[in-house]
Amino acid sequence: ALPQLPLTSLNSVISVCCLAHSLYPEKRLRSSTTTTDGVVSRREVSISVGLMNLFMCPLGSMPNCHGAGGLAAQHRLGARHGASVVFL
């Protein structure tokens, strides 16, 4: 389990944030005057993945993460807004 920790944190948190920053630079630049990031922060992604696993694993789910592959695929197929998740 210990060797999986760096891989999981890189794929499920850091790479998602880096990809979001490169895919949506206009949101990052728009928030340059504020202290918060307009795209997504590492803390937000970490909390989301943690809560998802905390609530779903006791119900029999496998551990999940967002993953950069899912974000890249959704962006490639036209998902540009939060409402696109509704159609999945």
Side-chain angles (χ1 to χ4, degrees), residues 19-61:
L19 183 61
H21 283 247
S22 65
L23 290 177
Y24 304 106
E26 68 278 355
K27 292 185 179 183
R28 187 180 69 222
L29 295 175
R30 182 175 37 179
S31 66
S32 63
T33 58
T34 63
T35 59
T36 60
D37 197 352
V39 182
V40 66
S41 70
R42 290 186 305 265
R43 181 179 178 162
E44 292 169 338
V45 174
S46 298
I47 290 172
S48 174
V49 169
L51 288 176
M52 180 171 49
N53 288 324
L54 185 66
F55 290 120
M56 297 307 291
C57 285
L59 299 175
S61 172

